[in-house]
Amino acid sequence: MAVHRYWRLTVTGSASPSGGPSVAGKVAHVASLEMRNSSGGANLSVTGNGVASADGNDGGGFEADKAFDSNASTVWLKSGAEQHWVQWDFGAGNEQEINHFTLVSHS
């Protein structure tokens, strides 16, 4: 697999997460997305090693960085359209080969 600066996850909206905010319509949400270059390796998508971004969020407490904080009780959340995206930017000169993902839904 090749190295990349940006790694993006496209999420298809579904019903509001259990225990999460009540939002009408489709909602894209991710509680935790960890990226590693080997199974059992260190999580590379951590604060200080890049920047999270997304095509939007539903206000305070639901920002893109919540998808990468390794905390299943926080969540990145975006309602509206059928699909949304969240991504990690490792930064120029810090491209990474990612071949193992851990994706956790809201607890």
Side-chain angles (χ1 to χ4, degrees):
M1 190 174 275
V3 297
H4 298 283
R5 174 179 175 174
Y6 300 97
W7 288 86
R8 179 179 288 187
L9 175 68
T10 301
V11 181
T12 301
S14 63
S16 293
S18 176
S22 177
V23 179
K26 299 281 185 175
V27 177
H29 58 280
V30 174
S32 183
L33 175 60
E34 297 178 354
M35 295 184 274
R36 297 172 170 80
N37 58 15
S38 65
S39 180
N43 178 16
L44 299 175
S45 54
V46 294
T47 302
N49 197 36
V51 178
S53 62
D55 65 342
N57 65 68
D58 279 9
F62 301 113
E63 296 84 5
D65 64 318
K66 301 299 188 232
F68 300 95
D69 66 2
S70 299
N71 182 347
S73 65
T74 63
V75 62
W76 161 72
L77 184 140
K78 177 69 176 126
S79 60
E82 184 72 21
Q83 289 189 331
H84 294 285
W85 59 263
V86 62
Q87 76 177 9
W88 189 260
D89 175 3
F90 283 102
N94 193 30
E95 294 83 2
Q96 298 289 329
E97 177 180 359
I98 303 297
N99 57 35
H100 185 84
F101 297 88
T102 301
L103 180 64
V104 177
S105 63
H106 189 67
S107 62

